[in-house]
Amino acid sequence: MAQKLDCAVTGTTGIISITFSDSHVAPTSTATITAIDTNLDIGDEVTVSFGYVGDSFLALTGFVKNIEFKEPEREYTITCGNVLVRAIDYFIASDNPDEPFSRQNISAEDLIGDLLELAGITDYDPDPTSFTFAINNPVQVNLTPAYDYIHFLANIIAFTIFADTDGTVKLIDRRPYPVVGDTSDYTFTVADVLEATYEKSDVNIRNKVIVYGSAGISAIESASSPYLPAGYYRTVVVAAPGVIDSQSMAELSAEYNLELLNRLTQKVNLSVVGRTEVVPRTIATVTLPGIGVTGDWYVYSVEHNWSKAGYITNLELRK
Amino acid sequence: MNIQVEHNGSDISNKVINYEREHKICTGIGVLTIVISDDIATTFNPWDEIDIFEEGEFKVRYYVSSVEWSVPNSTITLNCQDESKRLIDYFISDQYTVETPTYTRFWIEKFLDEVGTSYQFQTSSQGNLLSNYTSMGMMSAYEQIIILLQLSGWYMYFDGNGVAQIGTLNTELSDYAGSMQKTDILDINVKKDDRMLRNRAVVWGNYNPISLTRIFADVTIHTPWNYDHNDVRTMVIANSNIPNNSSAYNIANLLVKEFARITVEKHLTVHGARDLNLGDVVKVYSNVYTGSGLVTTFGVTMGKEGLVTNLILDERCPRLFGYFNFGDYVYVGTYGDGVWRKHLKFIHTWEDFSSGLDDLRVTDLHINNGIFSSVTASGGMFYKVFDDVPWSQIQHPESLESSELDTLGEGGSGLVLIPFSGVKARATMVDKNLNRIIYGLDTYSGENLGDYYLELSGMMSSSGLFASGFVVNSGLTIDSRGWVLAYTPGAGSYETYPISVSGEYDIKVIDIENDGKNDYVSVALGGEGSLPIAFANFGYVATQPFAATLDTNSTVVMPSSVDNINDNENSATGISMPTANKNSLVAMDNPVSNMRMVMSIGKDGELKRTKFTRDFNEETGLYEINASSVTNTSGPTFASGNTIIGIYPNFGEDNYIIYYHRSSALNVYTFYYIEWDVPTDTVESEVSMGVVDYSDGPDFNSRTALAVNGTIYVLGQRVDNPATLGGSHVSPSFIRVNVTRIGMQFKTFFNDEIFELETGLFGGTDYYFFDNVGLGATSNTIFGIFQNNNDVKIIGWTQLEAHDDLGNDSYKEYVFAGNSTTVQFNEVYDSDVDHRISPNGLVYTQINETKGMIGWRSSGGNTGFIFDGTVFKTFTDAPYQYVQQSLTDSLDTVYPIFGNQQYYIAKDTSDGSWNLISAANYEPISEIVPPDDYSIDKPYSSVSTGFGDKIYFQLAGPSGRCLVPYNFSSFDLTKELHPVGFGSTFTRRVTHLGGMFLRESQDYTISDPLAAIFYIDMGDTPNRGRFLVLQRDGVDFNIVQEAAYPIRVDISNFSPLLTLQNKEATFNSFSIYDREVFQSTISPTFSGLLVDVPDYRYAMLPGSGELGISNQAVYIRETSVWEFDALTFSGIHLQYEDIAGSGLLNRIETSNFVASGQYIFVTTSGDFPQFYQKDPELEYFTLYSGLPDSRATIIRLDDRI
C-alpha cells in the first residue's frame, strides 16, 4: 500500500522535491530543496526532514548555501550543507605571519577538535585514536582551509570525519567495508530493489604505504595483493612532516593505511523505493543472487530523491 | 532575425546554423561558438576573422581558435575569441625585475605594446607602486596583465573593435542603457550564494630585509550571512610586488569591500539582440526582481529558438575587484518641499524630485538599485521604480483597519480598537538585495516630523500639539497596532506582518531597517498595558528633559511657581499652585543657533535665557546639566507685577515665541500677549486680549494659572463682602469661581463664571456665614486647579462659621470638585459631628492633583483630614477621613507622595524624626532613618503619571547637601547627587520632574536667573512603555535590543546593526547571525562626550590611527562629524570640525562601497538648510547651496554606492 509522503524544511513551504546525498568521503552531506516559498536566506541554520507520514527522518542539520528563485516557474531552489561547511568555509590564516596556529604533543582527536573549534564547531564527539602528533616539535597550520587539514589528519590515521544528522561532528575508526563485529542495519532483497549493478576493480588497491614524517622519520608497510601480480606494488605516500615526528606514529600510520587501502574495490549500486533509515557508514545485508551479490556490505553513499513523483533511495555499497 | 556573419569579410550568414557569443567582465574575454553547415565552400583556419552584425550593426570581431568538423551532423563548429586571444596566446618569454619604483600602468602598457594590441585607459591613474625586485614575465601576457590589473583595482575588456578598455568602470547608475520589461523577459533567475563571501582579508607583501618584517595587512568585518561571529572566512593575497603596509591595506580594504557580501546575480534571457555592453546599467521589471542591475556578462544566442540576449547582472569577480566607480545623484528629503537631488560629480544644481508626491513633508527616504521609497508626514507610503517616473502612492491596506485585525487576539477581550487617526506609515526601507519596499506602519496618531527629538520627546508630548505617536483614542485602553508591510513593486503586491512581542500588539513603529536578510523594526511597546498618557506626560519629560530641543517649533511650556515655592516651603511641586505669580520654563530650539535653552521669568518680571550643557562629573560618576552660560536678552519685559502665565511658539512664523501675561492690578486683570523673535531679540508690542473683573469679591484668594494642552486656564475664586461690618460678622452673599481660558496657538480668549455658591444655599435665614479669611485668622478657603489629562481639575475646600440669632456658633465645611466648565460642592462637616478642623487653630492645607487635599490643624488636638478630589461622588458616600494624628503636632511637615496612594511622609518636630505615614489611617508605619552621617532636610516626590513611587530626600551629608533616592526602605547613596553650587543662596525647594531637578534660587535676579538644572539618570526606567528593536523572521519578531529611550536603527551596508537612542553613549552595535546576536560592548570612551546625536551612519573607512578599514560610525555632534569603530566602539575621534562654521548639523549620509574612500554629506539644521559634500578623495567639505527652504529630514544615496 502506498505511503503518504511527508517532509519539513525550516521556514519553507510548498516543498516540491528534496534531494539529499551523503557519503563516506564527502566533506559534507547536502540537501537540495525546490519549493514554492521560503524565508530562508544564505547562512541560515536549517534542518531537513522527509520520508513518509509516521516514518520520516532528520536528514540534515546545517546551513543554507545557495538560493535560486526563477521565473516563469516561480520556484525556489535551496542548497544546504551540514555543519562541516563551516570547516570548509574557514580558511586558516594567522593574524601574525610569524605566529601561525600551532600545537605540540597533542592527540590526533584533540588537534582536529582544536581546528574544528577555530571554525566555530564545538559539537564534536571523537573516538580515541591512539595517535599523538607533534611530539617533539610543534605542528604549524596556516593558509589552508580548516576542513582540508582536518581531512588530511584523518587520512593519516585512516579515520573518518563526518557530521551526523544532528550536527555533531564525529571522528571514527571506520573502514569503508564491513569488518569483524559489524552487524547489519538493514536488508535488501530482490523484492526491494528497483535497479542494481555490481562492479569490482583494482583501481584503488595500494599495497605499499610510505609515511614521511619529520626529518629522519619514515615508515614503510607493504603486503602482497591477490589482485595484483606477484611482487607488484602500488605505492601511496603519506607526507606528514611536522605532524608525525615519532617513528612509532609513522609506523602506526603506515600500518593503518595499508590495511585500509590494500583491498579490491567491490561496489554495488542499488536503487530502491525510499528507505528513510538508510544512511552512510552503516551495514546492509544484500541478497541479489542474480548479480552474485550476497552478504553484508558497507553503505558507502546514499542519495535520497524525494518528490511528489515518489521517493527513491540510491545507494552505493562497498566491501 | 537581422544578423550577419562575415568570415574574413565574406558574408556566410546563410550557412550559419546557430551561434552563441558571450563576454564576461570578470575575465575580459569574449568568446563565440558558431555552428556552420559543412556544405560551405570555405576553409576555416585559426586566426581567421569572424565579424558579427546584429540588428544591422557591427558588433564584434572574433578570431578563430579551433575548428571542429562533425559527422553525421554535417556541421563545422568554430570556437572563436575576441582580441583577448592575442593576450592569451602570447607568452612573455623574458623575465623582468623591477629595480626602480615603477607603477603598474607602465608594465601593463609595456606588455600590451609587446603583444601588439590596441588599448585605451579609462583612468589617468598610474596604478599602484610595485616594489623593488618584483619579478614579471615567464607567463602568458593575459595572466601577467590580470595580476597587474588586480594590483591596480582595474578591469579590462575588449570592445567590438578589438581595443582593450582598461581602468575603473565609470558607470552612471541613473543612466540606463536598456529596459527589460516583463514582456521582454523569457526567463529570469535570481541566484544567491555565499561562494565568494569573505569577511577577512589578509595581504602579505614584500619582506623587508632591513627591518626584518613582512608587509602585512589584516582586515576583518562581519556580515549577516556568516553563521556566527566565529565564522571568519579569509582570503589571502601573498605577492612580493606589494611594497609597503599602505599598499597592503589598500588591497585588503578593496577585498573586504568587494567580498564581504553574498553574490546576488540576476540571470535573464530576453528576446532579440540588445544593444548593450559590459558595464551598462539596465532596468529590470519582473515579479522576481525589479530594479537596476549592472551588466557583467553579455551574450547573444542565435539558433532555432530565435535571437535572444543572455544577461547576467551584478556578478562579482574572483580576481578583479574594486574597479567600479559609480556615478549617481544624492537626494535630500525636506519637511515641506519634497525630495531634491543633485549629481554627485557633475552638475551640482539641485532639482526637484517630488513629482507625484501629494505631501511634500518627506520624513523618510530610501533608495536601493534604482528603487525609491518614502514616507511623508501624513503617513503616506510612496515609491517609484527608477528615477524617470513620478512617485506613486501605496494605499494603506484596508485590511489593516478592519475590526478583525484590530481585535486583540490575546486574552480574549475582543476589544475592538478604533484607530485615532488611521494607519500611518512611519518609516521605510528598500530591501538591500531583492528590492522589496518595506514600510513600518501603526495606528497611533500624530504626524511624522522626520526628527527623532521632535517626535519622541516627552517634552513634545507634554505640549500636546506636537505630540506624535503618543496620543490615543480617548476612552480606549492604550492599545494600538503596528505592522511591517513588504511591497513588491514588480508584482504590485504586498504582504503585511503584524508586529507583536510575547503576545503584545500595542506597538508604535519608530524606525525600520534591512540588512539584505531580515527586517529590523524599532518599536515602542506599551508597558504593562499603557504608554505614556498624552497631555499629562510630565513623567515622560523626566527621562528626556532636553530631548525636544533640536528643531523648529519644539517649544514646551512647563509652568512653575516661584512665589509659592518661596513662600510655602511645604507645598508640593511647582506644577500648579494656588498662588499668584507664575514662572515659566521654556526649553526651545532656535533653528538658526540651535541652542538648547531654558527661559525663565523671574520675580522681576524679566525674561532670562540660560544656555545649558550636560556634563559628566568624573568625581560623582553622574551627569549634571549646568547653566554653563547665562545670557540676558532684550526679550519681553513687563510692567512691575505683571505675571507671565504662558509661553508658546508661534506657528505662523518659526522662531517666534508668544508670551501671555497678566496685569498686576488687584482685582481687575488685563491679559496680553507679546511676540518675540528669539534669534534677533526683536519684541513686538504687547496686545491686549481681554479683561477680567474680580472686583465683586475683594477676598480674592486664587488667581492660579495653568497651561494644559496649549490652553492657559486661570482660576479665579473670590468671596463676597468684607467679612466684618461694624465689628459684627456679616454673611457673604456668595463664593464664586470663574475660569479664564486662553488658547495659546490662536490667541483666543474666554472667561466663564463656572460656579457660584450663594448664601441662601447654606441653610436658614437665621444663619450668617463668613469666610474666615476675611478675619485674617486662618486660611480656610482654598481652591486649586490641576492638570487632568487634557483638561483641568478644580478642587477646593472651605470652612464657614455661622452665628444664629441666639448667639450660638456652629460650623460647616464644604469641598468642591469640578473641571474647567463646572464645579460641584458637598457638605462634609457640621457642628453636630464631633470632629472639626477649625477654628481654634491654624489650618494648613495642601492640594495636589492626586491626593486632593490634606489639612492639619495647629492646635486643639491632633487632627488632620484628607479627601480624594479625584472622584467627586465619594464625597457623599464617604466623607473625608479624619486623621488621628498620633505624631506630635507638626504643622509644616506633611509631604504627600505623588502618584502613591498609600503613604505620606511626616516629620515629628518634637524629635526631628521622619516617618512614613499610612494614607489609610494616618498612622505612622515606620521611621525613615537617614544613612549614618546624614540628616534629612526634606523629601521631594516626583509628579504623578507613572513616577509616583520615586522619591528623593535632600540630605545633609559629609560632602554637603545632596539629593538621594529613597525606595521606601533605604537610601541609595550610590546615586547621591551633589548639585553644583548648592549653597545657602538657594531655597531648599526642588522641583522634581522625575529625573530632572529644578533647583530654584530664593529670589530671581538678573544675574542669577535660574540657578541650575540637574539631571539624574535614575537607572530604572519608569513604566512608560518599552522600546525594542525587533528582527522580523517571517511572521515572527525576535527581540534584538531593549532600551530606555526610543531607538533609531541603521544598517549602512550589511552589518552591523548600529542603534542609537538619544545620546552618544547610547550607541549599540549588533552583529546578527541566524543563530547568534553578537552585541558589542559599549566602552566608556564616551565619557564627557554625552551630547545629543541628531543623525548617524556608518561606512567602510580607515579607522583612527590604523591603516585598515572598518565600519566606522560617523555621527553629527553639533557642528562637527565624529567617528568611531562601529563594532568595537574604540577610537572615537573628531574627524571633521566646524563644517558649516558655527552652524549646527542635523543630517548625515555616506556612501558604502566607493573604492578610494567614501562620500560624506551633511546638512545644517532648521529651515534654510545648507548642504555640504565631502568627495571620497578629498578631506574637506564643499558647500552646494540651492536646497529649498524647508528643513532637511534625510539625506540618501542609492545603497549600491
Side-chain angles (χ1 to χ4, degrees):
Chain A
M1 182 176 174
Q3 290 181 276
K4 190 174 180 182
L5 297 173
D6 189 23
C7 68
V9 177
T10 308
T12 303
T13 57
I15 296 170
I16 298 166
S17 70
I18 299 172
T19 301
F20 171 77
S21 60
D22 191 10
S23 84
H24 178 85
V25 290
T28 170
S29 60
T30 59
T32 302
I33 303 113
T34 56
I36 299 299
D37 196 14
T38 185
N39 61 26
L40 288 171
D41 206 332
I42 303 301
D44 281 358
E45 193 165 17
V46 63
T47 60
V48 178
S49 306
F50 60 89
Y52 306 100
V53 173
D55 180 24
S56 62
F57 80 114
L58 174 65
L60 179 140
T61 300
F63 299 98
V64 176
K65 299 297 291 177
N66 184 296
I67 296 176
E68 182 177 343
F69 184 43
K70 54 191 173 186
E71 210 175 40
E73 296 87 346
R74 297 193 64 78
E75 290 175 4
Y76 289 90
T77 303
I78 307 150
T79 305
C80 318
N82 72 18
V83 295
L84 268 175
V85 298
R86 296 186 64 120
I88 296 168
D89 289 336
Y90 191 87
F91 190 83
I92 300 169
S94 168
D95 55 9
N96 182 343
D98 298 324
E99 295 179 8
F101 173 93
S102 67
R103 292 289 185 274
Q104 185 172 0
N105 195 23
I106 185 171
S107 69
E109 60 268 32
D110 286 349
L111 178 56
I112 289 173
D114 287 353
L115 292 168
L116 288 170
E117 194 168 340
L118 275 185
I121 298 173
T122 55
D123 196 357
Y124 171 54
D125 178 23
D127 287 348
T129 63
S130 306
F131 278 84
T132 302
F133 291 149
I135 295 171
N136 301 309
N137 295 297
V139 57
Q140 296 184 333
V141 186
N142 204 10
L143 300 180
T144 178
Y147 179 81
D148 286 2
Y149 202 81
I150 290 167
H151 190 239
F152 161 70
L153 294 175
N155 283 344
I156 291 174
I157 61 177
F159 270 50
T160 298
I161 185 122
F162 69 101
D164 68 14
T165 55
D166 293 322
T168 301
V169 175
K170 298 198 168 183
L171 179 70
I172 60 173
D173 183 9
R174 177 68 253 186
R175 302 292 193 272
Y177 47 81
V179 297
V180 175
D182 281 346
T183 57
S184 175
D185 297 294
Y186 11 74
T187 60
F188 295 103
T189 66
V190 173
D192 301 315
V193 173
L194 301 174
E195 213 173 293
T197 60
Y198 169 64
E199 171 188 345
K200 59 183 176 183
S201 163
D202 72 345
V203 69
N204 293 322
I205 294 175
R206 299 291 183 273
N207 57 343
K208 183 177 183 181
V209 177
I210 303 174
V211 175
Y212 291 117
S214 298
I217 294 174
S218 65
I220 300 175
E221 289 284 339
S222 64
S224 61
S225 168
Y227 307 105
L228 297 177
Y232 181 80
Y233 292 96
R234 281 185 180 161
T235 304
V236 64
V237 173
V238 177
V243 178
I244 293 177
D245 62 352
S246 85
Q247 186 60 36
S248 61
M249 289 298 113
E251 290 169 359
L252 196 59
S253 175
E255 181 186 328
Y256 273 45
N257 278 282
L258 181 67
E259 183 186 348
L260 173 71
L261 301 171
N262 186 18
R263 301 183 61 80
L264 183 72
T265 300
Q266 297 186 71
K267 190 161 56 175
V268 173
N269 288 310
L270 294 183
S271 183
V272 301
V273 174
R275 295 277 290 267
T276 57
E277 76 276 24
V278 180
V279 295
R281 306 173 196 89
T282 53
I283 302 297
T285 302
V286 182
T287 308
L288 298 173
I291 56 173
V293 173
T294 58
D296 286 350
W297 289 72
Y298 178 75
V299 180
Y300 192 80
S301 70
V302 175
E303 180 182 276
H304 293 275
N305 289 307
W306 181 102
S307 72
K308 290 179 177 176
Y311 176 19
I312 303 293
T313 302
N314 299 311
L315 306 90
E316 181 182 325
L317 310 177
R318 291 198 180 183
K319 80 169 11 178
Chain B
M1 287 183 287
N2 184 9
I3 61 107
Q4 182 175 326
V5 179
E6 293 183 359
H7 170 246
N8 289 338
S10 300
D11 186 356
I12 59 168
S13 304
N14 60 348
K15 296 295 182 184
V16 174
I17 299 171
N18 61 65
Y19 72 75
E20 180 174 0
R21 64 188 187 92
E22 183 179 80
H23 296 252
K24 297 185 80 69
I25 207 167
C26 291
T27 60
I29 293 173
V31 295
L32 167 74
T33 302
I34 184 167
V35 180
I36 303 166
S37 173
D38 68 355
D39 61 354
I40 189 170
T42 304
T43 302
F44 296 98
N45 291 304
W47 284 100
D48 283 357
E49 296 172 356
I50 303 293
D51 292 340
I52 300 294
F53 296 78
E54 290 163 351
E55 307 295 355
E57 289 186 5
F58 167 74
K59 293 298 179 185
V60 185
R61 169 166 293 173
Y62 297 92
Y63 300 95
V64 176
S65 294
S66 65
V67 184
E68 297 172 18
W69 287 264
S70 176
V71 176
N73 295 335
S74 299
T75 58
I76 301 171
T77 300
L78 307 179
N79 295 301
C80 313
Q81 190 173 337
D82 64 4
E83 184 77 9
S84 61
K85 179 174 168 58
R86 286 181 177 272
L87 295 185
I88 289 177
D89 290 357
Y90 186 86
F91 188 83
I92 304 171
S93 56
D94 294 326
Q95 185 159 11
Y96 299 90
T97 301
V98 176
E99 296 181 344
T100 57
T102 49
Y103 287 87
T104 49
R105 179 169 180 156
F106 168 83
W107 291 98
I108 292 171
E109 289 177 340
K110 172 181 173 51
F111 294 130
L112 287 171
D113 288 339
E114 209 171 289
V115 169
T117 191
S118 303
Y119 55 87
Q120 185 173 12
F121 277 84
Q122 304 292 331
T123 174
S124 59
S125 168
Q126 293 300 306
N128 269 342
L129 187 65
L130 295 173
S131 63
N132 281 354
Y133 311 112
T134 295
S135 181
M136 285 178 284
M138 300 302 288
M139 64 179 75
S140 75
Y142 175 80
E143 279 298 318
Q144 182 62 72
I145 288 173
I146 287 291
I147 291 171
L148 292 167
L149 292 172
Q150 189 182 67
L151 291 174
S152 309
W154 292 339
Y155 82 120
M156 174 186 70
Y157 78 96
F158 287 86
D159 64 18
N161 295 314
V163 179
Q165 303 292 334
I166 300 169
T168 51
L169 182 57
N170 298 304
T171 297
E172 282 298 314
L173 290 181
S174 300
D175 186 9
Y176 300 105
S179 176
M180 309 301 153
Q181 304 289 332
K182 286 183 179 178
T183 52
D184 297 323
I185 298 172
L186 302 176
D187 61 67
I188 178 171
N189 292 358
V190 176
K191 296 182 177 182
K192 295 193 290 184
D193 66 64
D194 64 355
R195 279 183 298 115
M196 293 173 64
L197 173 66
R198 300 289 185 275
N199 58 329
R200 180 184 177 216
V202 175
V203 176
W204 289 359
N206 198 13
Y207 184 77
N208 187 331
I210 299 173
S211 64
L212 303 179
T213 57
R214 183 179 295 281
I215 303 306
F216 182 72
D218 190 345
V219 177
T220 302
I221 68 167
H222 293 267
T223 83
W225 300 282
N226 289 107
Y227 308 127
D228 50 42
H229 79 280
N230 288 320
D231 179 19
V232 179
R233 305 189 198 183
T234 306
M235 51 196 152
V236 177
I237 285 186
N239 191 323
S240 62
N241 299 351
I242 300 169
N244 50 44
N245 279 338
S246 176
S247 297
Y249 270 106
N250 279 340
I251 293 170
N253 295 344
L254 286 174
L255 287 167
V256 166
K257 282 182 182 177
E258 186 69 20
F259 292 104
R261 48 183 153 160
I262 60 171
T263 303
V264 183
E265 298 173 356
K266 297 91 185 178
H267 296 233
L268 295 86
T269 302
V270 297
H271 66 74
R274 303 299 170 118
D275 185 19
L276 296 171
N277 282 312
L278 296 177
D280 283 348
V281 177
V282 296
K283 301 175 185 176
V284 178
Y285 298 86
S286 79
N287 295 331
V288 174
Y289 175 81
T290 293
S292 60
L294 185 77
V295 177
T296 50
T297 292
F298 174 81
V300 174
T301 300
M302 189 282 291
K304 59 184 179 183
E305 298 85 5
L307 190 64
V308 298
T309 299
N310 304 304
L311 300 172
I312 303 178
L313 311 180
D314 302 330
E315 289 171 287
R316 293 180 303 131
C317 307
R319 297 188 67 180
L320 300 179
F321 43 84
Y323 55 83
F324 295 111
N325 189 8
F326 292 126
D328 201 13
Y329 291 84
V330 58
Y331 298 81
V332 175
T334 70
Y335 197 81
D337 287 298
V339 179
W340 289 66
R341 75 175 187 178
K342 76 162 194 67
H343 197 273
L344 286 173
K345 301 174 183 173
F346 304 130
I347 302 173
H348 299 290
T349 302
W350 291 99
E351 59 184 66
D352 193 352
F353 194 68
S354 310
S355 175
L357 286 176
D358 64 6
D359 181 354
L360 296 179
R361 299 168 300 164
V362 175
T363 55
D364 200 5
L365 174 69
H366 195 250
I367 311 156
N368 192 61
N369 279 336
I371 304 296
F372 298 75
S373 68
S374 67
V375 163
T376 60
S378 54
M381 299 185 289
F382 290 85
Y383 79 99
K384 60 194 298 182
V385 179
F386 308 116
D387 62 352
D388 51 358
V389 297
W391 290 92
S392 298
Q393 185 166 12
I394 304 170
Q395 296 302 320
H396 295 127
E398 290 181 5
S399 61
L400 298 191
E401 301 189 60
S402 72
S403 58
E404 180 182 357
L405 277 178
D406 287 344
T407 301
L408 291 180
E410 294 292 325
S413 66
L415 177 63
V416 177
L417 301 175
I418 303 170
F420 180 79
S421 57
V423 177
K424 282 184 166 56
R426 302 297 180 188
T428 184
M429 179 62 48
V430 181
D431 182 312
K432 293 182 191 300
N433 272 333
L434 296 179
N435 276 10
R436 293 171 310 124
I437 304 173
I438 305 155
Y439 296 93
L441 302 91
D442 62 40
T443 55
Y444 276 82
S445 71
E447 295 197 324
N448 302 313
L449 294 173
D451 184 286
Y452 175 86
Y453 295 98
L454 280 175
E455 290 186 354
L456 298 163
S457 153
M459 281 191 162
M460 298 311 302
S461 294
S462 72
S463 71
L465 284 174
F466 298 111
S468 175
F470 292 100
V471 184
V472 297
N473 192 23
S474 61
L476 288 178
T477 309
I478 306 172
D479 284 309
S480 189
R481 303 289 298 275
W483 296 267
V484 171
L485 183 148
Y487 181 75
T488 306
S493 61
Y494 61 78
E495 293 177 320
T496 55
Y497 305 92
I499 306 171
S500 66
V501 180
S502 302
E504 287 192 62
Y505 287 83
D506 181 3
I507 297 288
K508 170 178 167 46
V509 174
I510 295 168
D511 201 358
I512 198 164
E513 257 294 353
N514 174 274
D515 65 355
K517 188 172 180 180
N518 293 100
D519 303 328
Y520 295 88
V521 56
S522 169
V523 301
L525 180 70
E528 297 178 7
S530 65
L531 282 171
I533 305 292
F535 310 135
N537 188 22
F538 283 100
Y540 199 75
V541 175
T543 53
Q544 295 189 92
F546 296 103
T549 61
L550 286 182
D551 228 312
T552 308
N553 286 343
S554 60
T555 303
V556 175
V557 177
M558 293 190 297
S560 182
S561 165
V562 176
D563 282 355
N564 182 74
I565 292 168
N566 286 334
D567 298 339
N568 300 281
E569 288 251 327
N570 297 327
S571 297
T573 66
I575 289 180
S576 61
M577 289 296 150
T579 55
N581 194 11
K582 280 297 177 187
N583 183 48
S584 294
L585 304 177
V586 178
M588 64 149 314
D589 167 52
N590 180 326
V592 175
S593 68
N594 213 347
M595 285 195 298
R596 278 148 288 173
M597 295 178 288
V598 168
M599 288 189 284
S600 63
I601 306 299
K603 288 175 71 174
D604 55 5
E606 198 159 334
L607 177 80
K608 291 89 184 176
R609 189 172 63 180
T610 306
K611 182 179 178 182
F612 282 90
T613 59
R614 185 179 184 221
D615 301 311
F616 184 75
N617 187 323
E618 298 285 353
E619 292 182 3
T620 65
L622 297 171
Y623 305 120
E624 299 167 349
I625 294 178
N626 296 314
S628 60
S629 65
V630 177
T631 305
N632 295 326
T633 77
S634 59
T637 57
F638 309 95
S640 176
N642 278 7
T643 302
I644 298 296
I645 55 175
I647 302 177
Y648 211 69
N650 186 336
F651 285 91
E653 295 182 77
D654 293 338
N655 314 328
Y656 271 68
I657 303 296
I658 311 171
Y659 285 86
Y660 293 91
H661 63 130
R662 185 178 59 192
S663 66
S664 62
L666 180 62
N667 289 321
V668 179
Y669 292 86
T670 304
F671 291 84
Y672 303 94
Y673 70 83
I674 293 178
E675 290 187 299
W676 179 44
D677 181 353
V678 177
T680 62
D681 269 358
T682 305
V683 180
E684 308 289 341
S685 299
E686 66 182 12
V687 177
S688 172
M689 302 185 71
V691 176
V692 177
D693 185 352
Y694 299 130
S695 58
D696 56 347
D699 292 335
F700 187 36
N701 291 328
S702 176
R703 288 148 293 186
T704 304
L706 173 68
V708 176
N709 188 20
T711 299
I712 301 169
Y713 298 89
V714 182
L715 174 69
Q717 168 262 315
R718 69 267 189 204
V719 180
D720 176 40
N721 271 348
T724 58
L725 185 64
S728 300
H729 294 301
V730 174
S731 171
S733 60
F734 62 81
I735 295 175
R736 288 175 179 159
V737 174
N738 78 309
V739 173
T740 304
R741 288 177 289 129
I742 295 173
M744 290 197 282
Q745 181 178 1
F746 299 107
K747 307 184 186 77
T748 55
F749 180 88
F750 303 96
N751 184 55
D752 300 307
E753 197 83 37
I754 63 167
F755 170 70
E756 181 177 17
L757 186 67
E758 296 182 359
T759 304
L761 298 175
F762 283 82
T765 55
D766 54 348
Y767 274 76
Y768 299 92
F769 293 87
F770 65 93
D771 170 28
N772 274 348
V773 170
L775 297 176
T778 56
S779 299
N780 285 354
T781 298
I782 186 168
F783 274 75
I785 184 168
F786 310 96
Q787 180 173 340
N788 182 20
N789 292 329
N790 57 354
D791 196 0
V792 293
K793 175 169 63 182
I794 295 171
I795 57 177
W797 170 84
T798 190
Q799 181 191 60
L800 301 178
E801 180 178 1
H803 298 267
D804 62 16
D805 293 339
L806 302 176
N808 297 317
D809 293 345
S810 61
Y811 307 93
K812 291 196 176 186
E813 294 169 9
Y814 295 85
V815 292
F816 307 87
N819 55 30
S820 62
T821 58
T822 181
V823 168
Q824 301 176 65
F825 70 95
N826 198 9
E827 179 184 296
V828 293
Y829 170 77
D830 68 29
S831 55
D832 294 334
V833 182
D834 287 339
H835 300 292
R836 62 186 188 182
I837 307 303
S838 187
N840 300 323
L842 297 174
V843 172
Y844 286 82
T845 55
Q846 296 179 19
I847 296 178
N848 69 70
E849 61 190 289
T850 56
K851 290 297 182 201
M853 191 180 302
I854 176 172
W856 217 257
R857 62 174 298 178
S858 63
S859 60
N862 299 324
T863 57
F865 70 96
I866 174 176
F867 78 86
D868 180 359
T870 59
V871 184
F872 185 75
K873 284 193 301 183
T874 62
F875 297 168
T876 302
D877 300 336
Y880 66 88
Q881 302 170 43
Y882 286 97
V883 177
Q884 299 304 319
Q885 162 79 297
S886 58
L887 294 171
T888 302
D889 193 8
S890 50
L891 300 178
D892 57 350
T893 57
V894 179
Y895 300 87
I897 302 171
F898 296 116
N900 183 291
Q901 303 296 323
Q902 303 176 53
Y903 305 122
Y904 290 92
I905 290 173
K907 181 181 182 182
D908 185 340
T909 52
S910 66
D911 60 5
S913 66
W914 291 82
N915 297 271
L916 201 60
I917 307 298
S918 165
N921 58 20
Y922 245 47
E923 292 294 330
I925 298 172
S926 60
E927 183 178 347
I928 300 169
V929 180
D932 291 344
D933 301 326
Y934 288 79
S935 62
I936 295 175
D937 277 352
K938 65 189 306 181
Y940 303 118
S941 170
S942 72
V943 295
S944 59
T945 64
F947 292 85
D949 286 349
K950 296 193 181 309
I951 184 165
Y952 287 75
F953 273 80
Q954 179 179 304
L955 303 181
S959 303
R961 281 209 166 84
C962 55
L963 292 166
V964 180
Y966 175 73
N967 67 359
F968 294 93
S969 64
S970 62
F971 293 87
D972 185 358
L973 291 177
T974 64
K975 294 179 180 174
E976 174 180 323
L977 173 72
H978 283 269
V980 174
F982 202 114
S984 60
T985 60
F986 298 97
T987 68
R988 290 184 296 166
R989 277 292 314 161
V990 174
T991 299
H992 174 207
L993 300 171
M996 184 174 70
F997 289 81
L998 172 62
R999 180 165 59 96
E1000 293 140 328
S1001 64
Q1002 289 181 337
D1003 203 357
Y1004 288 92
T1005 66
I1006 291 175
S1007 61
D1008 186 14
L1010 189 63
I1013 284 180
F1014 306 99
Y1015 179 77
I1016 293 180
D1017 186 352
M1018 292 184 287
D1020 50 344
T1021 307
N1023 177 22
R1024 59 188 174 81
R1026 303 156 65 196
F1027 297 101
L1028 307 172
V1029 175
L1030 306 172
Q1031 178 199 50
R1032 186 180 73 79
D1033 185 8
V1035 297
D1036 298 326
F1037 288 84
N1038 309 310
I1039 297 176
V1040 176
Q1041 183 186 5
E1042 181 165 359
Y1045 297 80
I1047 307 167
R1048 288 171 278 177
V1049 291
D1050 183 65
I1051 302 173
S1052 287
N1053 35 57
F1054 297 111
S1055 181
L1057 168 66
L1058 187 64
T1059 70
L1060 173 66
Q1061 299 166 59
N1062 56 344
K1063 307 285 185 183
E1064 284 172 311
T1066 60
F1067 275 110
N1068 264 281
S1069 177
F1070 301 87
S1071 298
I1072 300 174
Y1073 313 95
D1074 188 54
R1075 47 193 274 170
E1076 179 186 35
V1077 175
F1078 188 68
Q1079 181 176 2
S1080 300
T1081 304
I1082 300 177
S1083 73
T1085 53
F1086 289 98
S1087 296
L1089 300 172
L1090 299 166
V1091 300
D1092 292 333
V1093 179
D1095 201 11
Y1096 72 105
R1097 294 280 192 272
Y1098 63 85
M1100 292 184 186
L1101 290 164
S1104 172
E1106 296 181 7
L1107 294 170
I1109 62 162
S1110 59
N1111 278 314
Q1112 289 283 307
V1114 291
Y1115 69 95
I1116 291 169
R1117 184 179 176 212
E1118 297 177 339
T1119 63
S1120 307
V1121 170
W1122 287 61
E1123 292 183 6
F1124 63 90
D1125 189 302
L1127 277 182
T1128 65
F1129 289 87
S1130 62
I1132 181 170
H1133 65 282
L1134 171 64
Q1135 184 67 25
Y1136 303 105
E1137 193 171 13
D1138 297 337
I1139 294 167
S1142 60
L1144 294 174
L1145 309 177
N1146 77 329
R1147 294 293 175 265
I1148 191 168
E1149 168 69 321
T1150 67
S1151 54
N1152 298 325
F1153 301 108
V1154 176
S1156 57
Q1158 302 297 355
Y1159 287 99
I1160 300 178
F1161 314 95
V1162 294
T1163 52
T1164 55
S1165 66
D1167 290 342
F1168 311 104
Q1170 297 292 333
F1171 176 93
Y1172 293 83
Q1173 172 176 324
K1174 187 200 82 67
D1175 290 342
E1177 64 276 10
L1178 302 177
E1179 282 302 312
Y1180 58 84
F1181 282 78
T1182 302
L1183 169 66
Y1184 293 110
S1185 57
L1187 274 177
D1189 294 347
S1190 302
R1191 67 180 163 89
T1193 54
I1194 191 164
I1195 311 171
R1196 282 293 187 194
L1197 274 184
D1198 192 312
D1199 246 15
R1200 183 177 192 128
I1201 300 176

